[in-house]
């Protein structure tokens, strides 16, 4: 399976996602801020990112932009997630290059499905 970065400022959500993804055979790295996420993207080969768009320090859109702007990260699958997103956020995620969108709360099988090998 793949190496996944979870970007969320809520520790319990990161823990839930870590347990689910590791149970599905993925290697998991965590970040709670945009800056931590960008550092992880620069230092760790990743196959995917689970990206909350409403973070404490800044919006997750900044992380998505970094992934899409860097040639070496273009193959990284980004799944945007949020508990407070509307249809505009879902549309924006696709327009800005995300591979998908998950509304919170989501079920474990939904999380595993979006990071299943194609």
């Amino acid at each position: 399976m793949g190496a996944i970065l979870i970007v969320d400022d809520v520790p319990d959500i990161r823990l839930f996602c870590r347990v689910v993804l590791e149970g599905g055979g993925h290697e998991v790295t965590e970040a709670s801020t945009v800056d931590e996420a960008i550092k992880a993207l620069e230092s760790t080969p990743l196959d995917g990112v689970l990206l909350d768009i409403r973070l404490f320090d800044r919006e997750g859109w900044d992380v998505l932009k970094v992934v899409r702007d860097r040639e070496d990260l273009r193959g990284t699958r980004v799944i945007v997630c949020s508990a407070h997103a509307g249809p505009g956020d879902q549309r924006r995620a696709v327009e800005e290059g995300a591979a998908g969108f998950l509304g919170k709360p989501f079920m474990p099988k939904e999380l595993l499905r979006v990071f299943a090998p194609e």
Side-chain angles (χ1 to χ4, degrees), residues 66-78 97:
V66 168
V67 172
R68 294 303 156 232
D69 286 351
R70 287 192 34 198
E71 186 69 37
D72 62 320
L73 297 175
R74 292 238 171 106
T76 305
R77 172 187 259 180
V78 178

Side-chain angles (χ1 to χ4, degrees), residues 4 6 13-22 26 28 49-51 77 79 81 102 106-116:
I4 309 295
I6 300 166
I13 293 175
R14 289 195 314 271
L15 176 62
F16 167 78
C17 293
R18 173 183 280 282
V19 168
V20 170
L21 290 168
E22 286 180 344
H26 297 281
V28 175
V49 179
L50 179 64
L51 177 62
R77 172 187 259 180
I79 304 297
C81 65
L102 282 177
F106 45 80
M107 300 298 293
K109 65 181 176 182
E110 293 174 286
L111 180 57
L112 290 171
R113 181 182 46 81
V114 297
F115 287 112

Side-chain angles (χ1 to χ4, degrees), residues 12-86:
D12 288 344
I13 293 175
R14 289 195 314 271
L15 176 62
F16 167 78
C17 293
R18 173 183 280 282
V19 168
V20 170
L21 290 168
E22 286 180 344
H26 297 281
E27 294 178 30
V28 175
T29 303
E30 297 179 26
S32 62
T33 67
V34 168
D35 289 337
E36 287 178 5
I38 292 171
K39 286 179 186 172
L41 287 165
E42 292 171 349
S43 64
T44 309
L46 296 165
D47 300 299
V49 179
L50 179 64
L51 177 62
D52 187 9
I53 57 172
R54 305 279 188 260
L55 299 168
F56 178 73
D57 64 335
R58 298 192 333 240
E59 290 194 337
W61 300 117
D62 296 336
V63 176
L64 182 57
K65 182 173 178 6
V66 168
V67 172
R68 294 303 156 232
D69 286 351
R70 287 192 34 198
E71 186 69 37
D72 62 320
L73 297 175
R74 292 238 171 106
T76 305
R77 172 187 259 180
V78 178
I79 304 297
V80 170
C81 65
S82 181
H84 307 288

Side-chain angles (χ1 to χ4, degrees), residues 86-103:
D89 289 319
Q90 295 176 26
R91 188 173 34 259
R92 180 178 178 185
V94 172
E95 289 171 356
E96 292 196 20
F101 184 91
L102 282 177

